[in-house]
Amino acid sequence: MSEPLVIVGNGMAAARLVDELTKVALGRYAVAVIGDEPRLAYNRVLLSSVLAGETTSQDIELRPASWWRDRGVTLKYGCLATEIDVGRRELKIENDESIPFSKLVLTTGSSPLRLNMAGADLAGVHTFRDSRDVDLLLALAAQKRRVVVVGGGLLGLEAAYGLAKAGAPVTLVHLIDRLMERQLDAPAAALLKSIVERKGIEILLNANTARIHGETRVEDVELADGRLIPADAVIFAAGIRPNIALAKEAGIPVNRGIVVDDHLQTGASGIFAIGECAEHRGVCYGLVEPAYEQARLLARHLAGREASYAGSIVATNLKVSGVSVFSAGDFIGGEGSESIVLSDINRGTYKKLVIADGRLTGAVLIGDVTDALWYHELIRMQQPTARIRADMMFGRSLAMRSEAA
């Protein structure tokens, strides 16, 4: 008889875990997926494309309903999990139903931060995180509302791009002196800023949002230096917080995220966590690829195979506001490292490779990301680069010919 395995969360991590389980443990578990979003799992990375009108909400679904059904998965979406009874091995959901489990996997993701400031509770203040937010933002854009986006990381840029392309006047304000400071060095961020500004988005850096003014609705945003920005709406996109409440209330150890070991198991036996809600060796990954890597390794572990997670090399490989961006590893470069840089501002292209001890340790690409996965593999495998050093900046095909010569 199949063991009951319950997955809490119906996002990208959950979908990948089910996919991986069908490859290595088909039939071993009776899988139930419980999610509070009222729709099938979808590609969250493409939400800005929906907002920009480049694709539809239906097109970003990861799998059709038939895919889940064919794999014997019990799918309950639009259902909020309210309690984990660790002793009785039961998950309770909001309609008082209890679902028994032998194994439980938490893929509860993250929630957007709402900055604690005066006016944050006014009508017209929103976040950008899931498909429900997209519907609200599309309505704003259709009415040509003036929007201020707070946050110049990936989420903020995606919200600004989608809104601007949908027709809304947009100002993006960012506390730091460059965009996407966690993924880009200063020259790459400056190039990205210039490209994004050409799309009609006003960008203010070193801009600290102090308060939001309005009687009942947003009227303008005040910066710490006294500047006022007229606005009909404000979008907070200044970071995320792992969803840990369900685990914490069950007595499962948490820090910033739900603490897991190298088998992705929490402090409670048979209960696991992956994706944005998980904290492994003190790190919470807010990106898709680490979640997919965790899903693959957890599936192997649940299948009884040898599998251990040692952490992920953080990499970003996305279109940001319509611009291809890649970064991985130590892209700044520490003491003893050296950098190879190719910059063509007119073509909107920037490449930087960081080398230490004869190995590639970091990379940043703007515009041309053709060889991003190859660079990521070189960083991950820590292969010596001496034989391809002269040509590696110009891509894999040329470098491989040089190595073979």
Side-chain angles (χ1 to χ4, degrees), residues 316-392:
T316 300
N317 188 13
L318 298 167
K319 269 195 179 296
V320 180
S321 299
V323 184
S324 295
V325 173
F326 170 80
S327 76
D330 177 17
F331 58 86
I332 297 296
E335 186 177 349
S337 68
E338 51 185 324
S339 299
I340 305 172
V341 176
L342 173 64
S343 179
D344 189 338
I345 302 302
N346 290 333
R347 292 185 59 193
T349 300
Y350 177 83
K351 291 186 176 184
K352 177 183 178 181
L353 304 180
V354 179
I355 298 171
D357 298 323
R359 291 168 169 79
L360 186 66
T361 57
V364 176
L365 310 176
I366 300 286
D368 180 6
V369 298
T370 306
D371 293 292
L373 294 181
W374 178 58
Y375 291 133
H376 189 198
E377 187 67 9
L378 287 175
I379 295 168
R380 191 177 69 83
M381 298 299 293
Q382 283 294 279
Q383 298 172 349
T385 58
R387 296 183 64 181
I388 62 173
R389 179 188 168 101
D391 298 308
M392 63 190 298

Side-chain angles (χ1 to χ4, degrees), residues 56-217:
T56 69
S57 180
Q58 291 72 34
D59 288 340
I60 67 172
E61 287 182 352
L62 293 171
R63 304 289 186 181
S66 58
W67 183 87
W68 300 90
R69 187 170 56 248
D70 292 346
R71 283 151 184 79
V73 177
T74 299
L75 194 57
K76 289 179 177 286
Y77 51 87
C79 293
L80 180 67
T82 58
E83 182 184 347
I84 302 168
D85 190 324
V86 176
R88 294 173 61 89
R89 313 297 283 180
E90 288 182 347
L91 176 75
K92 296 180 181 179
I93 57 179
E94 58 187 350
N95 62 0
D96 293 328
E97 181 182 353
S98 292
I99 302 172
F101 63 84
S102 171
K103 302 283 196 306
L104 180 73
V105 183
L106 300 173
T107 67
T108 49
S110 296
S111 298
L113 293 172
R114 292 182 70 96
L115 300 183
N116 184 20
M117 66 177 62
D121 57 348
L122 287 170
V125 178
H126 307 289
T127 57
F128 178 58
R129 185 61 182 161
D130 62 31
S131 60
R132 292 166 291 195
D133 297 328
V134 170
D135 294 336
L136 284 169
L137 302 192
L138 280 171
L140 289 175
Q143 298 164 19
K144 302 294 189 286
R145 298 289 189 179
R146 299 167 301 175
V147 182
V148 171
V149 175
V150 180
L154 178 61
L155 275 177
L157 283 163
E158 291 293 82
Y161 171 69
L163 282 162
K165 190 158 186 191
V170 179
T171 299
L172 183 146
V173 299
H174 189 42
L175 180 63
I176 313 301
D177 63 353
R178 69 180 190 267
L179 300 173
M180 291 185 68
E181 68 278 358
R182 294 184 179 180
Q183 290 87 19
L184 301 178
D185 65 357
L191 176 58
L192 178 62
K193 178 176 180 287
S194 69
I195 296 172
V196 172
E197 286 176 327
R198 288 178 219 155
K199 300 175 185 294
I201 298 168
E202 181 183 17
I203 297 176
L204 304 178
L205 301 178
N206 291 310
N208 185 7
T209 307
R211 58 185 56 82
I212 302 168
H213 292 287
E215 291 294 327
T216 57
R217 293 191 57 84

Side-chain angles (χ1 to χ4, degrees), residues 8 84 104-110 241-262 264-268 271-285 294 309:
V8 183
I84 302 168
L104 180 73
V105 183
L106 300 173
T107 67
T108 49
S110 296
R241 178 186 292 113
N243 292 326
I244 62 173
L246 192 64
K248 184 176 182 179
E249 290 167 6
I252 296 170
V254 298
N255 286 326
R256 182 168 182 267
I258 303 168
V259 178
V260 297
D261 62 18
D262 289 357
L264 288 314
Q265 183 169 262
T266 70
I271 298 179
F272 305 83
I274 62 172
E276 293 176 344
C277 68
E279 179 180 325
H280 175 260
R281 299 186 185 180
V283 178
C284 295
Y285 297 97
Q294 291 169 0
Y309 179 63

